């Protein structure tokens, strides 16, 4: 009983802080604020939790984006579209809602920030969960010699899905189904139709051989394995979509040694010596990979920002917030881009890395 009481007490404290934020930023009058606080306390006393209004849910999701320390896209936090799917419970309905999210987010290539929020956890029940890191991911197949075909970051999920009966084609860019866990703990697999988040074929404007590498990447990310916490309420399934920064694909997904590790391949194709780091072959290959990604997405009509533009936008956001006397919470190591970092204004700044709620968390 002590643990339950402690949990309710913590939820009450967080709810009070969140409603204060709602009152302040949504311009509630004093009477409305007090009445809502009385309602929430009554619900907490009776059930150990409470249900957000539609307005609170939308505002809380936007605050979770604004507060997240690892996101560089905070300038756009007010534009987030919030879909309330808290009443969906069976896996087929949840899967259909995820397909709708992908379709609405894609928006014919003009990617729109969007979040779909499913049922909350309560003291008696758990909400659904999405095990997959993103709604679209590529398989990673471990070979007998220990090498990996596909994305090495997804070998565990790939093996798990194969044990459940899914079988891919064994290629480098096989799409994985989404793995759901419902409120009863049952696992189910769900295929997302590729047309709602199509692949972009990666070519290069100056090197025709780039097309022969057979590279591709899906149009935008939808992070799906993070829980969202708003005012003492936990939403374990709240997938959110946004557009890519080019370096996320060109520098990290394609370039990292524990991902597709393409820098040596591209460098050799460029005719660069790869036996000594001081030739800067990694840097030159990295630039051309990012040129290929940026120009390919542009040619496909899919919204994407380069790291300089995104860093400038974030810097403008920070300056505005600080002029208004507001704290900016950010993790410097995630805000600075993985290439040309010192050429961006964010490199020369310091940020408060404190985690505040509402926010997103990964278990």
């Amino acid at each position: 009983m002590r643990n339950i009481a402690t949990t309710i007490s913590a939820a009450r404290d967080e709810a009070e802080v969140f409603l204060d934020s709602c009152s302040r930023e949504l311009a509630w009058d004093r009477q409305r604020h007090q009445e809502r606080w009385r309602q929430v306390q009554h619900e907490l006393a009776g059930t150990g939790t409470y249900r957000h209004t539609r307005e609170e849910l939308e505002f809380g999701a936007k605050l979770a984006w604004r507060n997240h320390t690892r996101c560089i896209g905070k300038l756009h936090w007010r534009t987030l579209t919030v879909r309330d799917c808290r009443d969906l419970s069976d896996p087929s309905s949840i899967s259909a809602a995820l397909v709708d999210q992908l379709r609405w987010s894609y928006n014919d290539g003009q990617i729109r920030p969007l979040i779909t929020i499913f049922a909350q956890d309560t003291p008696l029940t758990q909400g659904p969960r999405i095990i997959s890191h993103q709604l679209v991911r590529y398989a990673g197949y471990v070979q007998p010699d220990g090498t990996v075909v596909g994305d090495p970051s997804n070998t565990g999920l790939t093996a798990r899905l194969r044990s459940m009966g899914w079988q891919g084609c064994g290629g480098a860019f096989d799409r994985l189904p989404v793995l759901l866990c419902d409120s009863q703990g049952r696992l189910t697999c769900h295929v997302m139709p590729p047309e709602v988040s199509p692949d972009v074929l990666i070519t290069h404007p100056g090197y025709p051989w780039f097309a022969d590498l057979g590279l591709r990447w899906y149009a935008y990310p939808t992070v799906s394995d993070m829980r969202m916490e708003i005012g003492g309420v936990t939403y374990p399934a709240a997938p959110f979509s946004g557009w890519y920064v080019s370096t996320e694909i060109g520098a990290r997904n394609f370039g990292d040694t524990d991902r597709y590790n393409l820098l040596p391949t591209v460098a050799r194709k460029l005719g660069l010596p790869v036996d000594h780091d001081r030739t800067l072959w990694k840097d030159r290959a990295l630039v051309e990979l990012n040129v290929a990604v940026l120009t390919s997405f542009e040619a496909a009509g899919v919204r994407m920002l380069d790291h300089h533009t995104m860093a400038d936008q974030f810097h403008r956001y920070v300056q505005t917030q600080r002029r208004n006397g507001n704290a900016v919470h950010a993790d410097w190591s995630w805000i600075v881009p993985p290439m040309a970092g010192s050429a961006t204004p964010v490199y020369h700044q310091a940020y408060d890395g404190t985690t505040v709620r509402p926010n997103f968390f990964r278990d």
Side-chain angles (χ1 to χ4, degrees), residues 106 108-110 199-201 294-303:
Y106 180 54
D108 292 327
Q110 302 307 303
D199 284 348
V200 175
L201 302 181
L294 272 169
T295 56
S296 297
F297 271 67
E298 182 178 16
V302 177
R303 184 179 189 182

Side-chain angles (χ1 to χ4, degrees), residues 303-330:
R303 184 179 189 182
M304 167 180 277
L305 291 184
D306 65 89
H307 52 294
H308 293 285
T309 299
M310 187 61 93
D312 287 342
Q313 289 184 358
F314 181 78
H315 185 63
R316 294 205 313 271
Y317 164 80
V318 170
Q319 298 304 104
T320 300
Q321 291 297 307
R322 287 175 173 170
R323 281 196 301 269
N324 294 333
N326 299 325
V328 175
H329 301 282

Side-chain angles (χ1 to χ4, degrees), residues 18-30 33 59:
F18 173 62
L19 291 180
D20 287 345
S21 297
C22 289
S23 179
R24 182 175 59 256
E25 299 200 38
L26 298 177
W28 291 357
D29 60 34
R30 180 179 177 84
H33 185 195
F59 179 61

Side-chain angles (χ1 to χ4, degrees), residues 252-296:
R252 302 302 310 278
N253 298 339
F254 284 162
D256 283 1
T257 55
D258 60 349
R259 297 295 297 282
Y260 279 82
N261 193 26
L262 288 171
L263 294 186
T265 299
V266 172
R268 292 188 183 96
K269 285 285 190 178
L270 290 168
L272 303 175
V274 298
D275 51 341
H276 296 292
D277 286 345
R278 64 183 295 114
T279 63
L280 303 185
W281 63 269
K282 295 178 183 177
D283 307 70
R284 295 166 69 182
L286 200 60
V287 168
E288 299 306 338
L289 265 173
N290 279 270
V291 168
V293 169
L294 272 169
T295 56
S296 297

Side-chain angles (χ1 to χ4, degrees), residues 181-257:
C181 180
D182 68 12
S183 59
Q184 306 302 314
R186 295 170 297 196
L187 295 175
T188 52
C189 300
H190 303 267
V191 175
M192 300 290 107
E195 62 270 17
V196 296
S197 180
D199 284 348
V200 175
L201 302 181
I202 307 300
T203 61
H204 193 290
Y207 300 109
W209 51 259
F210 232 96
D212 298 332
L213 298 177
L215 305 182
R216 59 177 64 218
W217 205 262
Y218 46 92
Y220 59 94
T222 302
V223 177
S224 52
D225 66 342
M226 300 185 77
R227 72 183 190 275
M228 182 174 63
E229 296 186 7
I230 301 174
V233 176
T234 296
Y235 297 95
F240 54 94
S241 305
W243 54 83
Y244 266 120
V245 182
S246 59
T247 49
E248 292 180 89
I249 303 171
R252 302 302 310 278
N253 298 339
F254 284 162
D256 283 1
T257 55

Side-chain angles (χ1 to χ4, degrees), residues 130 132-137 178 218 220-225 244:
I130 303 174
S132 303
H133 175 56
Q134 294 186 22
L135 296 187
V136 181
R137 294 292 271 179
V178 172
Y218 46 92
Y220 59 94
T222 302
V223 177
S224 52
D225 66 342
Y244 266 120

Side-chain angles (χ1 to χ4, degrees), residues 17-252:
V17 172
F18 173 62
L19 291 180
D20 287 345
S21 297
C22 289
S23 179
R24 182 175 59 256
E25 299 200 38
L26 298 177
W28 291 357
D29 60 34
R30 180 179 177 84
Q31 180 178 355
R32 181 180 179 184
H33 185 195
Q34 291 179 338
E35 176 59 27
R36 180 57 180 147
W37 178 225
R38 282 194 292 269
Q39 293 172 354
V40 168
Q41 291 183 89
H42 180 73
E43 286 188 60
L44 282 167
T47 67
T49 187
Y50 68 102
R51 183 178 174 89
H52 289 123
T53 66
R54 166 68 197 189
E55 181 184 39
E56 292 164 2
L57 187 72
E58 181 171 332
F59 179 61
K62 292 179 178 181
L63 281 187
W65 184 6
R66 189 179 79 182
N67 289 337
H68 197 55
T69 60
R70 293 182 172 184
C71 181
I72 195 173
K74 296 173 185 284
L75 178 67
H76 307 278
W77 70 277
R78 294 184 187 275
T79 70
L80 181 66
T81 298
V82 178
R83 298 175 67 235
D84 183 356
C85 291
R86 288 177 290 175
D87 293 332
L88 300 182
S89 57
D90 64 283
S92 60
S93 297
I94 294 172
S95 177
L98 296 179
V99 173
D100 287 341
Q101 167 162 1
L102 290 173
R103 181 179 294 109
W104 278 89
S105 298
Y106 180 54
N107 193 28
D108 292 327
Q110 302 307 303
I111 313 301
R112 59 163 67 103
L114 188 149
I115 186 169
T116 302
I117 303 172
F118 296 100
Q120 68 191 63
D121 284 342
T122 76
L124 298 178
T125 62
Q126 287 190 333
R129 283 159 170 74
I130 303 174
I131 308 302
S132 303
H133 175 56
Q134 294 186 22
L135 296 187
V136 181
R137 294 292 271 179
Y138 298 123
Y141 304 100
V142 180
Q143 305 301 296
D145 63 357
T147 60
V148 175
V149 174
D151 192 340
S153 70
N154 296 323
T155 55
L157 179 59
T158 302
R160 190 173 189 179
L161 289 166
R162 294 178 82 178
S163 72
M164 296 174 64
W166 175 81
Q167 294 299 320
C169 299
F173 297 98
D174 292 351
R175 289 186 174 222
L176 292 169
V178 172
L179 184 58
L180 299 182
C181 180
D182 68 12
S183 59
Q184 306 302 314
R186 295 170 297 196
L187 295 175
T188 52
C189 300
H190 303 267
V191 175
M192 300 290 107
E195 62 270 17
V196 296
S197 180
D199 284 348
V200 175
L201 302 181
I202 307 300
T203 61
H204 193 290
Y207 300 109
W209 51 259
F210 232 96
D212 298 332
L213 298 177
L215 305 182
R216 59 177 64 218
W217 205 262
Y218 46 92
Y220 59 94
T222 302
V223 177
S224 52
D225 66 342
M226 300 185 77
R227 72 183 190 275
M228 182 174 63
E229 296 186 7
I230 301 174
V233 176
T234 296
Y235 297 95
F240 54 94
S241 305
W243 54 83
Y244 266 120
V245 182
S246 59
T247 49
E248 292 180 89
I249 303 171
R252 302 302 310 278

